[in-house]
Amino acid sequence: MTKIGSLYEDTAPPPPSTERLQGDHDADFVVIGAGYTGLNAAIHAAKRGVRTIVVEANGVGHGGSGRNHGHCVPVLGFINPEKAVETLGKERGGRFTQIVADSAAKVFSLVREYGIDCEAAQTGALQLAHSPEAMSVSARQHAFYERLGKNPVLLDRAQAVAMTGSESFHGGWMHPDGGHLNPLAFVRGLAAAAIGEGAGIYTHSPVTSIERNGDVWVVTCPAGRVRAKRVGIATNAYTDGLFAPLGRSFFLMSSYAIASEPIDPELRRTILPGNQSVGDTRPDVRYFRFDRQNRLVLGGLVEPVLGTNFEKTTAFMAKRMKNLFPQLHDLKWRHHWSGKIAINLDRTPHLYNPAEGLFALVGYSGRGVPTATALGEILGEAGCGMAARELPMEISELKSLSTAPLLSTLVPLLRGPINRLRSRWQ
């Protein structure tokens, strides 16, 4: 039976018990948004004795943190150690590079530290070459992460075929820190961890205003408010009109995912026997993984038809997967869901500090699981009172992106077809 809805809602453990914000509260640090960034910020601050409150407009992980594909892939094009040192200085720049480079390791470390039940599989992230010519790209990426000390594994064609069960790949490399998990289960586990460290979490409490009152910030929700010395905004693509122009500083795309019914265990052993997550070098990238019950989970960016029409989307993806794995036939699809992605023009997350004690971190451009989790630590340090000039991340100027509405319309319309054409030519 097809269920047009999230696989994770059916498979994740329930969230910790929370209530709506009611009445007046005082805190040192109030976090807006109960996703990866906000919750790891809360864990970091509360662990250090900072009175911390998290407010969330919906439920824990309602946004991208609970809707993504579950890949934990620490392959991040914006890591530039030389630029980080030039911009931030040797100590801060080096620390920023290390935080981002270790982002996937941080995710699985949190899973182990707090015993989070989220189907975590730190089995590696495969980045595969779709053609012999693309091996030069793989070799450069491998060399870059080797310089960062991540011990990547360069793969020849025979190794790629053996690890995937597909003749379609010509080699590539594997990042050993990576893997996959149930993202909604992970974010719910982070919420439980934050509560365990002493943070208060209030859900179904949308923020209606953020105002400065003397030397404190007042964050107001429909039935209550929080007075705090410092505020961290971690709402990313679900920022909307909160604290303009933050919600207009990036453009939006949507990502969709589909999940099959569990496939036969014997067949499953012929595909990704090592249970890694997979991405490749095509402009129209193929990425997929399996969950604990041998469901195939994959997706893409929403277009006018793909990602919106269930029958056409699953037919398209079934054909694509059969081209990679001829043994995969008669796939039955059960779940289909989507979520929003915030994209900065430079494809780099931005940290803003538009007023004293107010910080915002947005724009993960589809690399949310490792990046949003790891960078939450930086927002947490701001919540502990660390001055902006000492944080291990550059402070960006907050301003509206005038072309955001146009880009939010045109990029989803054109990106997929153009990348599919490019993939045919390469």
Side-chain angles (χ1 to χ4, degrees), residues 149-289:
K150 302 313 296 181
N151 299 315
V153 180
L154 192 63
L155 307 172
D156 61 21
R157 176 175 171 79
Q159 290 170 311
V161 170
M163 293 181 75
T164 61
S166 173
E167 299 282 342
S168 298
F169 301 113
H170 297 263
W173 67 285
M174 183 179 76
H175 195 313
D177 283 358
H180 53 88
L181 43 67
N182 180 317
L184 182 60
F186 176 54
V187 73
R188 287 176 173 178
L190 289 179
I195 292 170
E197 294 291 357
I201 298 180
Y202 297 91
T203 53
H204 303 286
S205 302
V207 173
T208 56
S209 69
I210 306 171
E211 298 175 329
R212 187 75 171 174
N213 185 358
D215 61 350
V216 299
W217 288 95
V218 180
V219 174
T220 303
C221 300
R225 61 180 185 170
V226 183
R227 291 162 44 90
K229 299 174 185 176
R230 293 171 291 276
V231 177
I233 302 176
T235 46
N236 203 39
Y238 293 79
T239 299
D240 298 323
L242 179 66
F243 202 82
L246 183 62
R248 300 194 300 271
S249 65
F250 50 79
F251 70 96
L252 290 170
M253 295 186 71
S254 292
S255 174
Y256 72 88
I258 56 175
S260 72
E261 293 184 359
I263 70 170
D264 178 78
E266 289 296 323
L267 175 61
R268 170 70 177 87
R269 278 191 275 273
T270 71
I271 304 171
L272 284 181
N275 196 30
Q276 294 88 5
S277 69
V278 175
D280 72 5
T281 52
R282 288 178 177 86
D284 181 28
V285 63
R286 275 74 164 144
Y287 51 88
F288 53 92
R289 68 177 183 90

Side-chain angles (χ1 to χ4, degrees), residues 21-245:
L21 183 75
Q22 297 189 50
D24 289 347
H25 300 259
D26 290 308
D28 299 314
F29 182 37
V30 57
V31 179
I32 303 171
Y36 301 140
T37 297
L39 291 170
N40 196 31
I43 290 169
H44 187 84
K47 210 174 194 178
R48 287 153 182 78
V50 175
R51 294 179 302 162
T52 303
I53 286 177
V54 180
V55 291
E56 161 62 44
N58 296 282
V60 169
H62 170 83
S65 294
R67 298 170 184 261
N68 61 78
H69 299 91
H71 295 263
C72 192
V73 181
V75 181
L76 306 160
F78 60 83
I79 304 180
N80 187 327
E82 292 78 18
K83 181 181 177 183
V85 169
E86 179 183 340
T87 303
L88 299 170
K90 184 176 180 179
E91 183 178 348
R92 293 168 63 210
R95 181 147 180 258
F96 173 75
T97 299
Q98 201 63 49
I99 287 172
V100 178
D102 291 344
S103 58
K106 178 66 175 181
V107 167
F108 293 107
S109 173
L110 287 165
V111 169
R112 290 188 293 270
E113 180 178 359
Y114 293 103
I116 299 174
D117 178 12
C118 61
E119 302 187 28
Q122 194 175 12
T123 46
L126 293 176
Q127 304 294 299
L128 301 174
H130 74 285
S131 68
E133 294 76 17
M135 272 303 295
S136 61
V137 175
S138 295
R140 286 196 301 272
Q141 290 182 334
H142 170 269
F144 176 76
Y145 285 91
E146 191 171 47
R147 289 195 299 273
L148 289 176
K150 302 313 296 181
N151 299 315
V153 180
L154 192 63
L155 307 172
D156 61 21
R157 176 175 171 79
Q159 290 170 311
V161 170
M163 293 181 75
T164 61
S166 173
E167 299 282 342
S168 298
F169 301 113
H170 297 263
W173 67 285
M174 183 179 76
H175 195 313
D177 283 358
H180 53 88
L181 43 67
N182 180 317
L184 182 60
F186 176 54
V187 73
R188 287 176 173 178
L190 289 179
I195 292 170
E197 294 291 357
I201 298 180
Y202 297 91
T203 53
H204 303 286
S205 302
V207 173
T208 56
S209 69
I210 306 171
E211 298 175 329
R212 187 75 171 174
N213 185 358
D215 61 350
V216 299
W217 288 95
V218 180
V219 174
T220 303
C221 300
R225 61 180 185 170
V226 183
R227 291 162 44 90
K229 299 174 185 176
R230 293 171 291 276
V231 177
I233 302 176
T235 46
N236 203 39
Y238 293 79
T239 299
D240 298 323
L242 179 66
F243 202 82

